[in-house]
Amino acid sequence: MSEPLILGIESSCDETGVALVRGCELLGDSVASSVDQHVRFGGVVPEVASRAHLEAMTPTVRRALDNAGVALADVDAIAVTAGPGLAGALLVGVSAAKAYAMALDKPLYGVNHLVGHVAVDQLEHGPLPKPSIALLVSGGHTSLLLVNDLATDVVSLGDTVDDAAGEAYDKVARLLELPYPGGPPIDRAAQKGDPKSIRFPRGKWGDGTYDFSFSGLKTAVARHVEDADRRGEPLVVADIAAGFQESVVDVLTRKAVDACVEHGVSTLVISGGVAANSALRALAEQRCAEAGIELRVPRPRLCTDNGAMIAALGAEVVKAGLPPSSLSLATDTSLPVGSPLAV
């Protein structure tokens, strides 16, 4: 008997994502992004994002179904991001998922956005070894997770105590007058610079925890820019970008590999939007190879927010035989990572 067909809906921030997954196979997906509407504000405006989700939801569902070559009636279950995320954005997705579940008389599963970022790797590399370590790096989250079971047992080892890595990229890009979102332009600029020319601080470098901190790094870059301006010196944007990026990826990869070694885990998954960063991938490959650790990183399209990650986690939840969520399912903007399934 074939595995159930899961419709996944993601709307936690500024991407409306819908996908169809069967087991570990992605049949079709579609993403509508509102990022262009946020550029002039230098960050996501929750009300704008919510309105964009409302307008994009139905067309995005239709495109995903068409891409997968299936009909809405073929769907066996609905999975939706219940949290964490922006309150209004989450509400649009959960409301849509409830409507589809009621109309189709199919079970509804409210799942965790963060765990979804890990589950999506299975669509590219197959079942995730148990246990695994996951490094989640995005605009809103920077976390190290011990993944014993995607559906039932995910443990937080460490998190950022201030800015997330992606957030730091956006703020530094603004300081350097680079476009929003800041990750891709900083990555491109850094490839032309010398990462050794400016030594920026490494937050929580050797504090014995798996927590992260990027606020001090952002402040150090700001002071460097201010000092150059005060002295009337031109900014070498490429070198600043390279030094900043070197600091970020150095801390991320060192703590991730250390976590694998300490917990006796031989597989590291890096996911989230920042996982598309070339320097992060290169240094992670080097350090994992040196430590004998298998590195798994989804292709860039699967790293950013998308419906495939939610459908993939939904497939794991259904496979585990967990009970569906109630139609009174509420959103949770701060849903803890230890709760793959919301109730």
Side-chain angles (χ1 to χ4, degrees):
M1 183 179 296
S2 63
E3 297 183 76
L5 179 64
I6 311 299
L7 172 69
I9 297 175
E10 153 63 22
S11 69
S12 66
C13 191
D14 58 347
E15 272 94 23
T16 308
V18 181
L20 285 302
V21 163
R22 194 185 297 278
C24 289
E25 182 183 2
L26 175 60
L27 302 180
D29 73 325
S30 182
V31 176
S33 176
S34 63
V35 65
D36 290 344
Q37 300 180 45
H38 306 285
V39 168
R40 65 192 180 101
F41 301 106
V44 176
V45 180
E47 293 81 0
V48 173
S50 300
R51 173 70 65 175
H53 287 306
L54 190 61
E55 295 172 351
M57 185 60 66
T58 299
T60 307
V61 170
R62 288 173 179 162
R63 284 195 301 271
L65 290 167
D66 289 344
N67 291 341
V70 300
L72 196 55
D74 297 327
V75 171
D76 296 305
I78 315 291
V80 62
T81 300
L86 302 174
L90 290 169
L91 184 60
V92 174
V94 168
S95 297
K98 288 179 180 180
Y100 284 117
M102 290 183 66
L104 298 171
D105 192 24
K106 299 297 182 180
L108 171 71
Y109 295 88
V111 301
N112 192 302
H113 173 86
L114 304 182
V115 184
H117 270 302
V118 184
V120 76
D121 180 75
Q122 296 196 143
L123 303 181
E124 186 154 353
H125 300 116
L128 192 66
K130 301 178 182 180
S132 295
I133 294 291
L135 173 63
L136 172 58
V137 276
S138 67
H141 306 279
T142 302
S143 305
L144 261 176
L145 312 174
L146 174 62
V147 184
N148 295 305
D149 186 280
L150 281 166
T152 62
D153 191 359
V154 180
V155 180
S156 175
L157 300 178
D159 209 334
T160 182
V161 299
D162 42 56
D163 292 349
E167 183 182 2
Y169 268 88
D170 290 340
K171 291 178 177 177
V172 168
R174 192 177 308 137
L175 289 169
L176 300 180
E177 299 183 353
L178 294 174
Y180 171 86
I186 285 183
D187 194 11
R188 288 191 296 268
Q191 292 174 29
K192 302 175 184 178
D194 178 6
K196 308 299 182 185
S197 64
I198 307 171
R199 170 85 180 182
F200 287 117
R202 271 74 167 153
K204 299 187 76 64
W205 172 265
D207 66 347
T209 76
Y210 292 119
D211 290 331
F212 302 94
S213 172
F214 299 105
S215 181
L217 170 60
K218 172 202 66 182
T219 300
V221 174
R223 287 176 177 168
H224 181 89
V225 171
E226 291 168 359
D227 289 345
D229 183 63
R230 187 171 56 251
R231 293 192 299 266
E233 299 174 354
L235 287 179
V236 184
V237 172
D239 285 350
I240 298 173
F244 162 77
Q245 183 159 272
E246 178 79 1
S247 175
V248 173
V249 303
D250 191 10
V251 173
L252 290 174
T253 56
R254 185 177 297 275
K255 291 208 172 195
V257 170
D258 285 350
C260 289
V261 172
E262 180 178 333
H263 289 84
V265 173
S266 58
T267 302
L268 171 65
V269 178
I270 302 181
S271 58
V274 183
N277 180 273
S278 64
L280 176 59
R281 286 177 176 244
L283 189 55
E285 287 175 2
Q286 175 190 325
R287 287 182 167 168
C288 283
E290 293 170 350
I293 296 167
E294 177 195 10
L295 176 65
R296 297 173 40 145
V297 187
R299 59 186 180 271
R301 178 177 173 82
L302 295 181
C303 289
T304 53
D305 292 350
N306 58 78
M309 57 189 260
I310 302 308
L313 180 53
E316 286 297 307
V317 166
V318 171
K319 181 180 177 180
L322 298 181
S325 304
S326 165
L327 285 177
S328 62
L329 171 70
T331 61
D332 186 345
T333 60
S334 56
L335 184 66
V337 72
S339 302
L341 178 65
V343 294

